[in-house]
Amino acid sequence: MPPKSERTILLDARAMSRALQRMAVEVAELAHGTADLVLIGIQRRGVELAERIAKMIEKDEGVAVPRGALDITLYRDDLETVGPKPVIGETRLPVDLTGKHAVIVDDVLYTGRTVRAALDELADFGRPKRISLCVLVDRGGRELPIQADVVGKVVKTGPGDRVEVQVEELDGSDQVDLVR
Amino acid sequence: MTVNLGKDLTGLEHLTPEQIRLILDTAEPFKEVSERPIKKVPALRGKTIVNLFFEASTRTRISFEFAEKRLSADTVNVAATGSSVSKGETLVDTAKNLEAMRIDMVVIRHPSSGAAGFLGQRIRSNVINAGDGKHEHPTQALLDLLTIRDKHGKIAGLKVCLVGDVLHSRVARSNIWGLTKLGAQVAVCGPYTLMPRGIEELGVQFFPRIEEAIEWADVLNILRLQLERMEKGFIPSLREYYRVWGVTPERLERSPRAITIMHPGPMNRGVEIDSRVADGPHSVILDQVTNGVAVRMAVLYLLAGGRPELADAAKRGGGAE
């Protein structure tokens, strides 16, 4: 019999909202305003989080922040080993990225391989002057030299653990759980 | 349950509706790749694909080649003329020699029905049928399905009529399988001499007159008169064919609906289709061509590495069996 898994809440809805507020402020600070800022969410939950952060920045700064969505499936380095193919989501970039400050937004940063793929894919869409990384949860366990610039919450996890992010738009409620 | 395509794509006859939908849904994001400034993703980097064409083809071969290149695969084209095939080498020998050079996939077009399935059973590489004799042309039917779904938002319940030379048409056969599996009503229409015997057993209606088909259909897929496969006596003359069977604006005007016009190409303008219809507002003939690249990218992507045990076996240097 497999050992019983234990679920703890890392962020509830209010804590997640506060974290996103702070992240929005930090992103605007990092970009020195919003002039060249583009937020790019990674499918799937990164897209929703980028949308929220963009709205918060828009509210604070009073200007429109362009945002896009990126599906990195076709840039993965493990297509040989995954059995059934993952469903490919939409990739939609609102503007030419050349000269922009692109901020990649994702829910969880773990091995860094998704971000590596995202960097490769963005390079095929132009030459941003800068690319930053913004994640809701950094769970450690990197396999590549990649780090986030803006982080909602840092948590130490082991390889068998799972960090589950729920967002209201897709899952009905906002919450981040650690399952171990 | 997760849906998988297996090793080869030889036809639509043995695919499930879920497998067909998986291909169509996977084709959607690939449409966007062809609109990018850099029309290329690295999904099939390092894969080697041979396009083995034993029959003339422009559209299908170029479409496959674009699909392969936009997925970053390395490709080689082999045509029957000018290769060892013209020296009498058998199909399996040709393929086995190619495999000895460590290829991953073969796209094959062949004049004999069943050639793709025959090859798929004998080599380790993935095999994709790009048209075999009068049997099937699965990627053509898949791009037709995708184009119909784009235009009408659905396939189930639509009335689709295949018009003309059904007898010689692998496109018709693949379309009949695909459309009926996805719940469309399918009919065929054309001269008796160009209808295969027992066509009704595939679950399709038969209209002996083009006027009846036009009255009934939401979509007309007008097949090419395959003059190169015909001996004498199928039709009296091309002018006669146009007069009796040609899809013309005058005939279409009688329909209460705006009928979607499709043609797999290459068209015989003024024979099976009038130019004013081919270039008319309801023609999706060029959309079919655009969708062809996306559908073929989806098929290549879904087949490549789709069987992890094959990939493992290939790494060990042996076959799967």
Side-chain angles (χ1 to χ4, degrees), chain A residues 71 73-75 79-92 121 123-126, chain B residues 2-4 26 29-30 32-33 36-38 40-43 47 301-302 304-306 308 311:
Chain A
D71 186 290
T73 308
L74 299 172
Y75 285 73
L79 281 180
E80 272 289 287
T81 48
V82 291
K85 288 290 157 51
V87 178
I88 307 169
E90 182 193 26
T91 291
R92 152 180 52 81
E121 183 157 18
D124 286 348
F125 281 95
Chain B
T2 47
V3 188
N4 221 324
T26 304
F30 282 119
E32 178 265 328
V33 173
R36 294 184 186 186
I38 295 178
K40 209 176 182 71
V41 291
K47 296 271 180 206
Y301 166 73
L302 289 168

Side-chain angles (χ1 to χ4, degrees), chain B residues 255-280:
Chain B
S255 165
R257 290 170 294 271
I259 299 179
T260 302
I261 300 295
M262 305 176 75
H263 192 297
M267 284 186 278
N268 296 310
R269 285 175 182 262
V271 182
E272 70 262 4
I273 186 167
D274 189 289
S275 269
R276 291 165 295 166
V277 173
D279 306 326

Side-chain angles (χ1 to χ4, degrees), chain B residues 238-256:
Chain B
L238 293 182
R239 277 186 62 184
E240 171 91 358
Y241 187 86
Y242 172 75
R243 205 171 54 74
V244 181
W245 299 100
V247 178
T248 61
E250 292 76 21
R251 288 197 162 119
L252 288 175
E253 263 169 28
R254 303 245 188 96
S255 165

Side-chain angles (χ1 to χ4, degrees), chain A residues 23-74:
Chain A
M23 289 161 71
V25 172
E26 286 186 31
V27 166
E29 201 175 46
L30 187 74
H32 306 295
T34 55
D36 297 320
L37 183 62
V38 184
L39 294 190
I40 295 163
I42 296 185
Q43 293 282 7
R44 288 192 50 184
R45 281 166 185 73
V47 177
E48 310 301 340
L49 296 177
E51 181 67 28
R52 291 221 217 151
I53 291 171
K55 276 190 183 139
M56 288 169 181
I57 297 174
E58 285 177 348
K59 211 174 144 200
D60 290 345
E61 306 279 329
V63 291
V65 177
R67 53 264 204 183
L70 199 66
D71 186 290
I72 55 94
T73 308
L74 299 172

Side-chain angles (χ1 to χ4, degrees), chain B residues 185-220:
Chain B
Q185 295 183 55
V186 187
V188 292
C189 172
Y192 284 108
T193 50
L194 294 175
M195 283 298 141
R197 216 166 281 175
I199 185 80
E200 293 89 350
E201 285 164 29
L202 294 178
V204 303
Q205 268 188 76
F206 169 65
F207 291 116
R209 293 177 59 241
I210 185 73
E211 289 80 5
E212 289 171 57
I214 286 172
E215 198 167 300
W216 175 83
D218 299 309
V219 178
L220 290 185

Side-chain angles (χ1 to χ4, degrees), chain B residues 121-140:
Chain B
Q121 284 160 11
R122 281 161 183 81
I123 64 173
R124 233 171 46 228
S125 312
N126 306 101
V127 173
I128 299 174
N129 184 2
D132 58 339
K134 300 178 198 171
H135 176 232
E136 284 222 43
H137 189 352
T139 57
Q140 176 68 44

